[in-house]
Amino acid sequence: NYPWLLVTQYWAEESDMFSVFLHLIPFVFCSSPSPIPEILFLVQTQGGDHHHHQAMARRTEDFLLQQYQQITDGQIVPDILWSGRDLHNPASQSSWTVFTLMEPCASFLSRYPAVEWVVIINENTDFFINNFISLIHERGWNPFQDIVFIGKEVRRRARVWFPQELPHPDPEEAILLSRAALLQAKNISRHDYEIGGLEIGPDWQGNVLDTLPFVQIMREVGVRFQGVGKGGLVSQRRNEYSCKDRSSPDIFFAVKTCERYHHTRVAVIKNTWGKYAKHVTFFSDKQDEEIPTVNFPNLVEPKVKTFFGCNKTLSILKHFLEQYPHHDWLVLVDDDTILSVARVRDMVSCYTNMEQPLILGARAGFLNTLGEGPIFPHGGAGIVLNRVMVRSLVATCKCWDKEWMAERSGLVDEDADAATKEGPEDWMLGMCAMTLSKVSITNSGRMFQNVPDSWEEQFLVERNPVSFHKHEGCDPEEVYRTWFEQSDRGEGSGGRSEL
């Protein structure tokens, strides 16, 4: 009778009841459950102690424990690690790259020779044990001999960072590795790679946005990713990144622009999401009363004569603290960011402890294979900061000193502006937050650095996007109408998310 109790509980908790029931069919009708293989579960958790994310990770762990209790009558307790709690830096901070997890997982396997599988799941991912057991029996895998690396396949429809775009695992679904596969890949962090536009190694830093570099590196050591079809899915992501029942937060939107785009990009914002933002200001290099724009003198570093990206952003942060003392949230966006004001509001309402610094966005990194290097929120997708985070950045951060940047990141930005010595503003904010304020970058899988056509539609629909970036390659007003307008008008979740 126990399985029915679990189904009843889940039926009450999940919004997508029918989908959950389909996932649990093997669990319900298995009168004599198969023995559970020895599994190491590694839960990808966010850095910091934000209650919202801790609660998600606990729910993921609790669901695993419930299944083990029901199947084994409490005789077996699973091995469950949290990346943020149980791993050391840099692996804990860069665990989302996945390749930095191979070495600590291999170390665990060396201590526990009976472990057959490693399952990597996100904080908002439910893993279905009996579905996995059925899949193992169906495929006839021997985890001590067979090289198995599987997950739910993601395919980009456009090249984002790399000329070679390969199918790669959805980071919010389970990633599964047999013991043989993981041990074959245990030393991948110790080698250099030049593959498909990616140059990375222990002493080389490369662009890392998602699990694609992991797939590229694994191929080099003979471990190839295989996507599983609908019949082989063993996990399901939970949509827990919106808290609509909370009181409406006070948000200030700061748009960074310049005179060149006053009549194009700025006009698009004023005709789309800008209509629904109660507090939005356009910061430009030229005063324009018609928009209007704000142009103020350099407030941060007088040694920098040219008003450029990062220094401009820190000036905006200081302006926010001084001029808007009653606003809890600052959202920094580019003038070609496309977003939903309502969804930003829902997203930030999940973070109720305003004394705990938060910097939230589409996380990326310029990392080596050890996980070392700057981790930052992509500026184009939008950067969300609460007031205490803004205060910390203003007090500690600067971005005109190239030597300062190299000292803290191990990186010298050869493309930094020669006159100002400035690096990219999102890099600098990320480094200031992590190295000086000791605050991890919190990732949102709903904020996107590119246009919608870069991804498969269903991938986006499942995530209920908050933002996109770039006007090139799309009609930005049409993108807004398709994905966000209904939400901002208060007519539902809106656009494609209704499909």
Side-chain angles (χ1 to χ4, degrees), residues 158-449:
R159 293 171 178 173
V160 180
W161 275 12
F162 305 113
Q164 179 187 13
E165 295 289 359
L166 299 169
H168 51 286
D170 187 329
E172 294 188 13
E173 298 281 355
I175 300 173
L176 301 99
L177 292 154
S178 64
R179 183 184 184 92
L182 193 137
L183 292 179
Q184 186 156 320
K186 65 180 181 180
N187 292 321
I188 60 173
S189 64
R190 304 296 170 178
H191 301 286
D192 296 329
Y193 305 93
E194 294 184 69
I195 42 179
L198 175 68
E199 296 182 359
I200 194 169
D203 300 314
W204 300 359
Q205 291 162 312
N207 293 324
V208 182
L209 178 64
D210 51 24
T211 58
L212 178 55
F214 176 53
V215 169
Q216 291 177 293
I217 292 172
M218 292 289 273
R219 284 167 64 98
E220 294 294 297
V221 296
V223 180
R224 290 180 173 264
F225 172 70
Q226 179 183 358
V228 293
K230 290 185 177 180
L233 294 181
V234 295
S235 66
Q236 178 177 323
R237 66 183 302 277
R238 302 189 308 269
N239 288 310
E240 296 182 317
Y241 294 109
S242 176
C243 306
K244 295 182 180 180
D245 58 333
R246 308 278 173 81
S247 60
S248 179
D250 207 356
I251 304 172
F252 179 80
F253 291 87
V255 182
K256 296 167 291 179
T257 188
C258 62
E259 182 182 11
R260 177 182 176 185
Y261 297 117
H262 283 186
H263 300 291
T264 52
R265 295 179 180 180
V266 169
V268 169
I269 291 176
K270 292 172 71 69
N271 198 40
T272 55
W273 64 264
K275 295 186 296 185
Y276 301 97
K278 184 178 179 181
H279 305 285
V280 58
T281 298
F282 298 88
F283 295 91
S284 179
D285 58 349
K286 184 175 178 60
Q287 192 79 24
D288 188 330
E289 297 298 335
E290 188 176 328
I291 293 176
T293 62
V294 171
N295 172 245
F296 46 76
N298 191 327
L299 300 175
V300 176
E301 183 48 68
K303 293 182 181 179
V304 182
K305 301 303 180 184
T306 305
F307 199 61
F308 188 63
C310 178
N311 198 61
K312 178 179 180 180
T313 297
L314 286 184
S315 297
I316 293 172
L317 300 189
K318 187 172 182 181
H319 182 76
F320 168 77
L321 290 179
E322 294 175 347
Q323 301 299 320
Y324 301 92
H326 303 299
H327 286 71
D328 294 328
W329 296 94
L330 171 64
V331 180
L332 294 168
V333 297
D334 290 349
D335 53 13
D336 56 350
T337 303
I338 311 166
L339 59 80
S340 164
V341 173
R343 294 186 192 178
V344 170
R345 185 187 309 119
D346 293 340
M347 180 174 66
V348 302
S349 67
C350 295
Y351 302 93
T352 57
N353 184 358
M354 298 309 295
E355 297 305 313
Q356 185 173 9
L358 177 74
I359 177 168
L360 171 70
R363 180 182 52 201
F366 198 71
L367 306 172
N368 63 17
T369 49
L370 302 174
E372 300 167 337
I375 297 174
F376 55 93
H378 261 304
I383 301 175
V384 181
L385 309 110
N386 62 6
R387 190 169 197 86
V388 67
M389 183 76 253
V390 175
R391 190 180 302 120
S392 177
L393 289 172
V394 168
T396 62
C397 192
K398 59 180 180 177
C399 46
W400 62 273
D401 192 335
K402 200 169 183 179
E403 293 179 2
W404 180 93
M405 183 177 181
E407 177 185 340
R408 285 157 179 79
S409 70
L411 172 71
V412 175
D413 179 23
E414 299 300 337
D415 296 325
D417 185 271
T420 66
K421 299 183 179 180
E422 288 187 314
E425 56 193 319
D426 44 11
W427 280 21
M428 298 302 296
L429 287 179
M431 284 194 295
C432 288
M434 295 187 69
T435 62
L436 299 179
S437 300
K438 306 301 180 185
V439 176
S440 299
I441 309 302
T442 299
N443 181 59
S444 170
R446 301 173 60 201
M447 302 173 76
F448 294 91
Q449 177 65 6

Side-chain angles (χ1 to χ4, degrees), residues 48-272:
D49 298 317
H50 290 285
H51 172 76
H52 176 54
H53 294 282
Q54 295 287 312
M56 281 193 286
R58 282 194 299 270
R59 183 177 176 189
T60 294
E61 179 171 322
D62 287 345
F63 185 52
L64 291 172
L65 294 173
Q66 289 172 22
Q67 293 177 82
Y68 270 76
Q69 172 68 32
Q70 303 298 336
I71 296 173
T72 72
D73 197 25
Q75 297 301 307
I76 300 176
V77 178
D79 294 309
I80 303 174
L81 303 179
W82 288 18
S83 61
R85 179 191 65 194
D86 301 313
L87 301 184
H88 298 294
N89 281 329
S92 63
Q93 291 280 14
S94 58
S95 65
W96 50 277
T97 68
V98 189
F99 57 74
T100 61
L101 298 177
M102 296 301 98
E103 199 165 305
C105 285
S107 176
F108 185 93
L109 265 57
S110 69
R111 299 195 302 272
Y112 300 96
V115 174
E116 302 169 66
W117 298 91
V118 173
V119 176
I120 301 168
I121 49 180
N122 201 46
E123 62 186 1
N124 66 325
T125 305
D126 283 327
F127 185 78
F128 301 95
I129 304 292
N130 268 2
N131 289 28
F132 180 46
I133 293 172
S134 297
L135 182 63
I136 293 172
H137 290 169
E138 176 189 322
R139 304 291 175 90
W141 288 322
N142 179 342
F144 293 93
Q145 297 178 359
D146 297 330
I147 304 296
V148 182
F149 170 26
I150 61 172
K152 182 179 178 181
E153 181 179 297
V154 175
R155 285 181 179 269
R156 295 205 194 108
R157 296 195 301 201
R159 293 171 178 173
V160 180
W161 275 12
F162 305 113
Q164 179 187 13
E165 295 289 359
L166 299 169
H168 51 286
D170 187 329
E172 294 188 13
E173 298 281 355
I175 300 173
L176 301 99
L177 292 154
S178 64
R179 183 184 184 92
L182 193 137
L183 292 179
Q184 186 156 320
K186 65 180 181 180
N187 292 321
I188 60 173
S189 64
R190 304 296 170 178
H191 301 286
D192 296 329
Y193 305 93
E194 294 184 69
I195 42 179
L198 175 68
E199 296 182 359
I200 194 169
D203 300 314
W204 300 359
Q205 291 162 312
N207 293 324
V208 182
L209 178 64
D210 51 24
T211 58
L212 178 55
F214 176 53
V215 169
Q216 291 177 293
I217 292 172
M218 292 289 273
R219 284 167 64 98
E220 294 294 297
V221 296
V223 180
R224 290 180 173 264
F225 172 70
Q226 179 183 358
V228 293
K230 290 185 177 180
L233 294 181
V234 295
S235 66
Q236 178 177 323
R237 66 183 302 277
R238 302 189 308 269
N239 288 310
E240 296 182 317
Y241 294 109
S242 176
C243 306
K244 295 182 180 180
D245 58 333
R246 308 278 173 81
S247 60
S248 179
D250 207 356
I251 304 172
F252 179 80
F253 291 87
V255 182
K256 296 167 291 179
T257 188
C258 62
E259 182 182 11
R260 177 182 176 185
Y261 297 117
H262 283 186
H263 300 291
T264 52
R265 295 179 180 180
V266 169
V268 169
I269 291 176
K270 292 172 71 69
N271 198 40
T272 55

